[in-house]
Amino acid sequence: MEEQSIPIGMLLQKAAKIRAHILEMVAEAKSGHPGGSLSAVEILVSLFFYKMRHDPKRPDWPDRDRFVLSKGHAAPVLFSTLAEAGYLPTSELKTLRKINSRLQGHPDHRVPGVEFPGGSLGIGLSAAIGMALAGKVDKKDYRVYALLGDGEMDEGETWEAAMAAPKFKLDNLTAIIDRNGIQQDGLTEQIMPMEPVGYKWKAFNWHVLEVDGFDFRQVIDALEKAENMRNRPTVIIAHTVKGKGVSFMEWDPAYHGKAPDKDTVRKLVKTMLEE
Amino acid sequence: MLVQLASMRDAYAEVLLELGEEDSRVVVVGADTSVSIKTSLFGDRYPDRFFNVGIAEANMMGIAAGLALTGKIPFVTTYAAFVPGKCLDQIRNAIAYPNLNVKIVSSHGGLTVGPDGASHQTIEDVAAMRAVPRMHVIVPADAPSTRSLVAQACRTLGPFYIRLSRPSVPTIYSASKDVEIGKAKILKEGSDVGIVACGIMVNEAMEAAEALSKIGVSAEIVDSHTVKPLDSETIIRVAKKTGALVTAEEQNIIGGLGGAVAEAVTESYPVPVSRIGVRDTFGESGEHKELMAKYGLTSKEITRAAKHLVDSR
């Protein structure tokens, strides 16, 4: 039933536009993190254009759902999504990482729609817990979503937070792990093996779901299941590919933090938007 | 005269209850030290606004940031041994950078935590927190001023670090309305030397003033409870009036109140400054009075430093 109402066409279109923005803004900035931005596109699109209750005209609306980008280096995907949603003009995206711009290398509070200044890894889930706790205290029904990188699971604080959320029965909290398998120095399973990821979260008493992070139906279905779970937080392990959508970037750790040149991007974007 | 002793953490726990009563936005986050610091009293009274996150200081600060982002006024409390030491990153990035309304209150600061030894004797916290943009740093001298400064911090938007010491200390302020955040308090007028102190060293400074007056030296005593933003105006005025300053704090002499005062006078009215504090070394186990004597945190040391400054004029 739910599936039929998912506007897949619109979501696909948004995803293509956002991918193009990411490539263009990173190329313009000559630095930034395209790989981990491209892997998270469908996750953000599912949230901002389907699942989340939010209003770009009222970024401070107390009853809004909250999205915390814990993997703050993926700022380009957040800024592009916020721009497509109407929080800021898309023309501003080219100011990313430039002096006097509010679009910093990592997201901060100057940008409407940014809920938390992610950047130093490991903090976002804790902050999301704080927001979810406040929601419980105030008896509000908003939901809190936190997107974590898989490399971020190396951080001890992630597991401090993983222990705390089930203690407080935060069923209004959904963590999503962008499981793209690559961190800055290489493959996650070589740098710091983290499998079995699902079992780890299960052992911490989370409701665990695994999805293909590029399949809108799967992502949205998991988000719905998370919402229906009572007394437990949900973690969605979204299997993705770093650099998704750009053949030479996919699975290449070099594109964790490297910008492609403008000419290449121009050709890529042309193909992308035509498809 | 009978000296009245009172505990800063008792005062803190009491004022938290009052703040919790008058403002429902006040919440308390603790890390397995709540019984010792007595914030558990807040938890008993307001169980739905008290969160014990276990021995996880980084998570505690991150959670506090999230609570503040949703309009709460979180008081985050544990031992100074772990704050900011184990969570400076979270304080910097998640609290100070977005200028959040989080009140960090650390207890058992400095050497006087005593027998626990160097691992638990934090002497770097004031310097570390001073160096973080947007952070207010407060080191109260006694129980009544703790009560007042904590209440004022609750009503002042922005991040605060408030540092308390473990021992019960002589009461200096009769009425808590005598202290105001950002305003150094002249506790005694004097003309020959200015003694600028914070925390438990304010009482030592008062005793030093008495000793100095017996040898004909008139000392002006300043309680600089707000280490940041420093009340430079008052400090400079005292420097101009007395021509020499002694600073006294239960902290490393590097980067704390002594550093702040030296920076302030150097930039606008240079006078000799003698810093009393822990002389860039780690502490050890011992009773608090023994430690203060061994590491030079006494009225005697302040007196000696003040006399030396006056004599070498």
Side-chain angles (χ1 to χ4, degrees):
Chain A
M1 293 288 277
E2 198 61 56
E3 254 183 40
Q4 289 175 347
S5 68
I6 298 175
I8 298 289
M10 179 273 283
L11 298 178
L12 285 168
Q13 235 174 17
K14 284 290 180 193
K17 277 188 182 167
I18 287 165
R19 278 212 164 79
H21 288 316
I22 292 168
L23 292 169
E24 282 169 343
M25 69 200 289
V26 170
E28 179 70 35
K30 299 191 187 73
S31 72
H33 298 83
S37 294
L38 293 167
S39 62
V41 172
E42 280 74 9
I43 297 167
L44 269 80
V45 168
S46 302
L47 287 166
F48 280 87
F49 298 99
Y50 186 79
K51 189 75 197 82
M52 284 195 342
R53 180 171 72 195
H54 68 116
D55 181 356
K57 290 186 195 70
R58 290 185 294 164
D60 295 330
W61 181 27
D63 293 326
R64 71 192 183 280
D65 289 341
R66 279 127 172 111
F67 174 75
V68 170
L69 183 68
S70 191
K71 47 174 284 183
H73 54 278
V77 69
L78 178 58
F79 294 151
S80 310
T81 305
L82 290 174
E84 278 298 321
Y87 284 91
L88 61 148
T90 50
S91 58
E92 194 179 334
L93 293 174
K94 61 179 185 296
T95 68
L96 174 76
R97 290 177 167 249
K98 301 253 164 85
I99 193 84
N100 297 325
S101 167
R102 52 182 184 168
L103 303 187
Q104 297 290 293
H106 293 79
D108 80 16
H109 47 289
R110 271 171 281 189
V111 182
V114 170
E115 299 282 359
F116 176 76
S120 174
L121 294 177
I123 314 180
L125 186 55
S126 304
I129 289 174
M131 294 173 186
L133 281 171
K136 292 285 183 191
V137 172
D138 295 337
K139 301 191 166 45
K140 286 191 175 289
D141 67 350
Y142 65 74
R143 298 192 59 75
V144 184
Y145 298 94
L147 179 63
L148 282 66
D150 51 0
E152 198 170 3
M153 284 189 288
D154 295 356
E155 290 278 4
E157 188 184 354
T158 299
W159 300 103
E160 294 182 4
M163 262 187 279
K167 169 187 168 172
F168 296 112
K169 300 184 167 40
L170 297 178
D171 50 17
N172 53 352
L173 172 68
T174 303
I176 304 159
I177 295 166
D178 183 359
R179 185 72 175 115
N180 60 36
I182 291 175
Q183 56 193 108
Q184 181 158 300
D185 272 356
L187 300 175
T188 59
E189 293 317 289
Q190 282 169 8
I191 304 305
M192 184 50 66
M194 49 187 67
E195 287 298 341
V197 172
Y199 282 104
K200 285 193 171 74
W201 290 87
K202 259 185 202 125
F204 280 68
N205 291 326
W206 285 64
H207 170 222
V208 181
L209 299 169
E210 304 218 20
V211 299
D212 173 343
F214 300 127
D215 183 322
F216 284 117
R217 284 191 180 86
Q218 284 191 36
V219 172
I220 287 168
D221 181 54
L223 293 169
E224 304 282 358
K225 281 183 178 141
E227 186 162 8
N228 293 328
M229 174 57 62
R230 287 288 159 266
N231 294 318
R232 276 165 90 194
T234 296
V235 59
I236 299 170
I237 300 163
H239 294 277
T240 61
V241 172
K242 204 153 187 165
K244 174 74 177 179
V246 182
S247 56
F248 63 86
M249 283 190 188
E250 289 183 7
W251 288 109
D252 184 354
Y255 283 98
H256 167 83
K258 193 171 86 175
D261 67 81
K262 279 195 198 175
D263 276 344
T264 314
V265 164
R266 208 167 293 133
K267 286 176 208 146
L268 283 168
V269 166
K270 196 163 172 283
T271 344
M272 238 174 224
L273 295 181
E274 275 167 5
E275 272 170 10
Chain B
M1 199 182 93
L2 187 69
V3 180
Q4 198 193 340
L5 296 178
S7 146
M8 293 186 194
R9 67 188 134 134
D10 284 354
Y12 170 52
E14 283 163 20
V15 74
L16 263 188
L17 289 178
E18 289 168 20
L19 294 169
E21 172 72 33
E22 76 181 42
D23 192 335
S24 64
R25 294 175 301 166
V26 171
V27 297
V28 173
V29 192
D32 200 36
T33 53
S34 307
V35 175
S36 157
I37 304 174
K38 301 183 184 176
T39 48
S40 57
L41 297 173
F42 186 95
D44 294 342
R45 176 99 46 104
Y46 308 105
D48 61 331
R49 287 194 268 148
F50 176 79
F51 310 107
N52 194 335
V53 302
I55 311 163
E57 294 77 14
N59 190 37
M60 173 171 71
M61 289 302 168
I63 288 177
L67 287 161
L69 282 163
T70 28
K72 302 293 173 203
I73 308 175
F75 278 79
V76 190
T77 295
T78 190
Y79 298 146
F82 316 123
V83 170
K86 297 185 95 155
C87 44
L88 183 57
D89 171 52
Q90 288 73 17
I91 294 172
R92 178 185 187 274
N93 287 302
I95 293 172
Y97 180 43
N99 201 25
L100 297 185
N101 205 13
V102 175
K103 316 304 171 186
I104 302 162
V105 183
S106 76
S107 177
H108 299 49
L111 291 185
T112 55
V113 62
D116 279 345
S119 68
H120 282 52
Q121 293 164 344
T122 298
I123 51 168
E124 311 84 356
D125 54 331
V126 176
M129 297 313 279
R130 261 192 80 216
V132 175
R134 295 187 177 135
M135 185 61 68
H136 301 76
V137 182
I138 311 279
V139 187
D142 69 354
S145 59
T146 296
R147 169 183 273 278
S148 173
L149 291 164
V150 166
Q152 289 175 51
C154 184
R155 294 173 196 127
T156 310
L157 207 65
F160 276 75
Y161 179 71
I162 303 176
R163 193 245 217 170
L164 311 178
S165 295
R166 181 190 190 187
S168 289
V169 286
T171 293
I172 291 161
Y173 290 91
S174 50
S176 55
K177 63 178 185 298
D178 286 350
V179 285
E180 188 186 332
I181 286 174
K183 294 263 178 249
K185 175 79 181 171
I186 309 281
L187 292 171
K188 181 191 161 297
E189 301 261 355
S191 52
D192 299 328
V193 62
I195 303 174
V196 184
C198 65
I200 62 166
M201 294 305 287
V202 174
N203 182 61
E204 298 296 322
M206 295 293 278
E207 288 180 7
E210 277 182 39
L212 286 164
S213 77
K214 284 180 189 147
I215 53 171
V217 176
S218 163
E220 179 144 316
I221 308 298
V222 185
D223 174 9
S224 186
H225 46 75
T226 306
V227 178
K228 184 186 173 187
L230 187 75
D231 181 1
S232 308
E233 208 183 301
T234 300
I235 306 284
I236 301 298
R237 207 165 55 233
V238 175
K240 284 180 177 166
K241 182 178 173 188
T242 62
L245 298 177
V246 177
T247 62
E249 63 193 311
E250 192 194 1
Q251 225 263 154
N252 195 343
I253 53 165
I254 296 172
L257 176 65
V261 168
E263 287 158 18
V265 296
T266 306
E267 281 190 343
S268 36
Y269 191 83
V271 297
V273 176
S274 184
R275 293 166 301 157
I276 299 296
V278 181
R279 303 200 71 81
D280 200 21
T281 183
F282 289 104
E284 63 183 287
S285 290
E287 290 308 321
H288 88 260
K289 288 284 184 192
E290 295 170 338
L291 288 161
M292 288 175 76
K294 180 163 178 178
Y295 290 86
L297 303 174
T298 57
S299 61
K300 214 169 114 187
E301 279 301 309
I302 298 171
T303 307
R304 187 195 52 73
K307 184 167 183 307
H308 181 73
L309 284 178
V310 172
D311 287 349
S312 49
R313 251 206 280 268

